[in-house]
Each structure stands twice: as C-alpha cells, then as structure tokens.
Amino acid sequence: DDGEKLPFGNFTIQVIGTPGHTAGGVCYQIGDNLFTGDTIISPTTGRTDFPTGNSREMIASVRKIAALPGNPHLFCGHGEESTLAYERKYNMIMRNCTNEDLY
C-alpha cells in the first residue's frame, strides 16, 4: 500500500503508490534507488491504454515521483536506467504534467 515501509535485511523499502499504467501500480524506493516499473520508461512514461490504465492517475503518479526529494537513481521497467534529475529535465510527460502553468 502507498506509504508502507517494508523491512528488507538492513534496508527499508518505501512503497509509493503510482497507478496509471495499471490499477494498483507501485514504485519501490530503497535508499537513493527508485524502482519505477512501467510508471517511468526513460524518457517517457508507461502506456495507459491497457484495461486498467488511467491517464489521469498516471499524471498524478508522475507528479508524485517528480516531487520526491533529491536525485534518486531510477530503475525503469524497460530500457536504460535514469535519474530523477534527468527525467525532470528531459521527460516531456513529466515536464508537461508538473508545469503548473498548464493547469
């Protein structure tokens, strides 16, 4: 569940609810590493046209990720690894949905 903290050896896994690509989607943050699954697929996001996908939820999820502090290393569901700083700068969907002037 969103906000849940799971002990894992010497680490704590922070669960971040990120529906949009599919219902119930989550990301996992362990220290300065964020496992995004298909929420972020650098330099874009996952699709929302699957049966439980939802573009409004995806926008909210991308905003939530963009607002995280620092510059976590991202392990995306497909393709290359990334960083949050890179996505904030080059991910057009993240840039567009976090630009308050658009809403």
Side-chain angles (χ1 to χ4, degrees):
D1 291 327
D2 185 40
E4 190 170 357
K5 295 182 180 182
L6 308 170
F8 184 71
N10 294 330
F11 302 98
T12 299
I13 301 171
Q14 175 72 40
V15 180
I16 303 168
T18 54
H21 176 64
T22 57
V26 296
C27 294
Y28 299 105
Q29 188 165 17
I30 304 172
D32 201 30
N33 297 298
L34 183 65
F35 297 84
T36 67
D38 287 355
T39 302
I40 302 293
I41 302 173
S42 185
T44 190
T45 65
R47 296 170 47 183
T48 59
D49 61 335
F50 294 114
T52 63
N54 183 300
S55 58
R56 290 183 189 269
E57 289 180 345
M58 178 63 89
I59 288 170
S61 294
V62 171
R63 283 180 171 163
K64 184 187 284 189
I65 291 171
L68 291 173
N71 184 29
H73 190 90
L74 306 185
F75 295 92
C76 306
H78 301 273
E80 299 293 320
E81 299 169 11
S82 187
T83 65
L84 188 51
Y86 180 89
E87 298 305 316
R88 287 178 183 133
K89 186 171 182 178
Y90 296 108
N91 183 318
M92 291 303 292
I93 294 172
M94 184 176 287
R95 288 178 58 199
N96 287 339
C97 77
T98 57
N99 183 346
E100 295 301 323
D101 294 336
L102 298 176
Y103 298 95

